Amino acid sequence: MRSLILPLIMLVALSAFWSCGHRGYDSRLLIAESIIIDRPDSSLAILDSLSLSDLHRESDRALYAMLVTQALEKLHLKPTDDSLIAIATDYYDCHDDAERQAISHYYRGIVQYNTKNFPIAIVYFFRARDIAKENHLDFWAGMSCRGIADIYNSTYNAAEELIFSGEELEHMTKSGVQPYLNYSLLDYAQSLGNMCKWDESNDLLKQVLDSAELYQDYYLRYCSMQNTIHNLILTKRFSDVSPIMLSCIMDGRFSEAGDTCLYCHVMIESGCLNDSVVMMVENLSDGDIIYKKYLKYKIAEACRDVNGVVEGSEDVYNSLVSEFRECMSHTLTTSISAYYDLKAKHSEAELEIAELKMYFVLIICVVVISIIIISALYIVRRQKISVEEKVLLAEQLQEDLNKSRESNSASLDIIRKVMSEKYELLDNIGTIVLYTSDTRAARRKIADAVTGIINDLTIGSGKIAQFEDEVNRNYDGLFDDFKNDLPNLKEADYRLFLFSVLGLSNSVISLFLKEDKIEAIYNRRRRLKNKISDLDETKKERYLKFL
């Protein structure tokens, strides 16, 4: 069994090497995470009670970084520094937690989007999308597709926007999470409108409006109205814009500067131009500078102001050219291509690592199997050697018994009496081998008998006490006198003297005393003779004749 310990240790170590331990998190972080979707303000309050410096485990620091960024974004505080969320992405890229890995990459993309760093943002969105799709996380796959579609919308890539808003809707439909599903339908309708598929867009916007009424989602209602008006303006169906739509988008709860542009555009094209509309156009912020210039152009056109029309058309043209150039400066295609090149290299690296792991496992298995085989062969060989040694011992014992028989020694009677049936077996070794057809079985039988004899003659056994009694009875208390005259000897010395009285050879005694080398018996016998030599002549002569 000892020879199997090493392989077992190696197997345990190997399993420990491959196993993945449980990574715990601070309970406060887990509570904040559980409520962040529905109550981001409460989640942020919990997170504000902590600080990054108070968290010592890498897992806690990563989760904290992810949750703070997520809470800020959900509360429309628009984080722009990605140093915090980078802690999360770096950590989860190295640990097996696919959902948090996807979330952290999504929010790192959001932070980059907030700074209008679209080439970097789209890479993180694609990374989040791929992780989510690979792990069947439809909700986060949909959210990542929304981020990608928003970037394409901001850079006027309508065809790409439509593709990814469609994928967003597909994933959100699978997830079934509301109100995100309704808003993904809104995104898809808007993308259709940007691709000049206005009828399809308006049909979907009606469904969105119905969902808004069903769920009493007033912001969703506002968004559907806003997009409907936008589509009607683009198709020059100004008369179809109802007062209800206009009042909805001008509602102070949700209205934006762009809504004022839509309102003024409808009023101008509908022939309702007045001083109020002109004032509203003049007060438009620079955030909608192109639309503002376009509306000024339309006002000049409506007022038949030729110079105003010429100047306005030039301003609009120059602004459009400038914005187009800015859009062209965002190298989205290059970023995406670089991302997939990097992903391909990463996959190749992972494949190489997997192959190395496989080879490592195979080598370990081969080593372990080899050790087991070698150990088994070693055990078999040792057993074979042990059998041969014990057969030789049996033959030596038989020779010792024959010598005792020839000299009519009392030791023969002692051995015969104490060993009983085992003596008969040893006395008939030749007969056993001769009349047994299976020589191996015969040798095994002899070896088993010798093993029993060795066990019987170990220190402290009952057979030893019987031998001592018989030696005392046949040799006038010889063994007790020897122990009294030499009281400080080791137990092995007493056994050596006892076996010598029985007439056993040094080779037999060495096995009974479990000495590996027969020289040890010679040395012990010599030391014992030296100690006996210190006794008086009578005692010395009495004991030495047996040694």
Side-chain angles (χ1 to χ4, degrees), residues 395-408:
E395 293 174 353
Q396 186 64 53
L397 277 171
Q398 189 180 46
E399 290 179 10
D400 292 345
L401 294 175
N402 290 336
K403 290 178 182 178
S404 298
R405 185 181 293 107
E406 291 171 2
S407 60
N408 294 319

Side-chain angles (χ1 to χ4, degrees), residues 38-69:
D38 298 322
R39 291 185 290 160
D41 52 343
S42 299
S43 180
L44 187 60
I46 295 173
L47 296 169
D48 284 341
S49 68
L50 304 171
S51 68
L52 203 61
S53 60
D54 294 334
L55 303 171
H56 303 295
R57 287 185 297 192
E58 282 188 84
S59 56
D60 286 340
R61 293 167 63 86
L63 184 57
Y64 173 85
M66 185 186 81
L67 294 177
V68 168
T69 306

Side-chain angles (χ1 to χ4, degrees), residues 265-274:
H265 197 169
V266 171
M267 298 301 290
I268 293 169
E269 294 289 355
S270 300
C272 301
L273 178 61
N274 54 42

Side-chain angles (χ1 to χ4, degrees), residues 330-358:
H330 296 297
T331 54
L332 299 182
T333 303
T334 303
S335 297
I336 296 168
S337 177
Y339 165 70
Y340 279 109
D341 287 342
L342 182 63
K343 185 178 179 182
K345 292 179 180 178
H346 181 70
S347 298
E348 290 177 4
E350 286 185 336
L351 181 60
E352 290 179 2
I353 292 172
E355 289 177 351
L356 288 175
K357 287 181 179 179
M358 181 184 68

Side-chain angles (χ1 to χ4, degrees), residues 111-326:
V111 172
Q112 294 294 336
Y113 180 83
N114 291 339
T115 62
K116 298 188 181 300
N117 192 353
F118 299 141
I120 301 299
I122 201 168
V123 169
Y124 285 112
F125 285 141
F126 266 103
R127 177 68 175 142
R129 164 183 169 268
D130 290 346
I131 295 168
K133 288 178 68 175
E134 288 168 6
N135 294 277
H136 308 290
L137 303 170
D138 285 303
F139 176 77
W140 289 109
M143 293 295 287
S144 302
C145 288
R146 171 180 291 178
I148 296 169
D150 286 344
I151 289 177
Y152 281 126
N153 175 269
S154 300
T155 55
Y156 301 100
N157 288 286
E160 299 292 339
E161 178 194 1
L162 182 61
I163 291 172
F164 286 97
S165 61
E167 190 173 329
E168 171 198 347
L169 179 59
E170 179 184 346
H171 285 295
M172 284 302 179
T173 301
K174 290 179 180 177
S175 73
V177 178
Q178 289 288 13
Y180 297 92
L181 176 56
N182 288 337
Y183 282 92
S184 65
L185 188 62
L186 174 68
D187 291 340
Y188 188 61
Q190 178 180 320
S191 299
L192 287 170
N194 292 338
M195 279 294 291
C196 303
K197 297 182 179 182
W198 295 296
D199 291 337
E200 294 179 49
S201 176
N202 288 333
D203 289 341
L204 284 181
L205 287 172
K206 290 178 182 178
Q207 294 182 35
V208 174
L209 185 59
D210 291 340
S211 296
E213 299 296 339
L214 177 64
Y215 288 95
Q216 295 185 346
D217 188 335
Y218 299 109
Y219 182 70
L220 183 64
R221 178 174 179 269
Y222 155 79
C223 290
S224 65
M225 293 285 193
Q226 183 188 57
N227 278 274
T228 300
I229 293 173
H230 185 265
N231 287 346
L232 292 174
I233 289 175
L234 291 174
T235 54
K236 300 185 181 298
R237 294 160 59 187
F238 300 102
S239 60
D240 290 340
V241 179
S242 68
I244 295 176
M245 292 180 183
L246 291 175
S247 64
C248 178
I249 65 169
M250 297 302 290
D251 187 339
R253 288 178 297 174
F254 308 116
S255 60
E256 304 167 346
D259 297 327
T260 303
C261 293
L262 294 177
Y263 175 82
C264 292
H265 197 169
V266 171
M267 298 301 290
I268 293 169
E269 294 289 355
S270 300
C272 301
L273 178 61
N274 54 42
D275 292 341
S276 175
V277 172
V278 173
M279 185 63 66
M280 291 174 70
V281 171
E282 290 293 336
N283 291 332
L284 286 172
S285 67
D286 291 338
D288 293 283
I289 188 66
I290 297 178
Y291 211 159
K292 180 178 181 179
K293 290 179 178 180
Y294 177 73
L295 291 176
K296 283 186 174 182
Y297 161 77
K298 296 301 292 184
I299 291 173
E301 184 182 49
C303 296
R304 302 182 186 280
D305 181 359
V306 176
N307 292 330
V309 169
V310 173
E311 291 177 2
S313 62
E314 289 179 353
D315 283 346
V316 170
Y317 172 78
N318 292 331
S319 297
L320 288 173
V321 169
S322 176
E323 183 157 342
F324 176 76
R325 287 175 177 172
E326 182 182 353

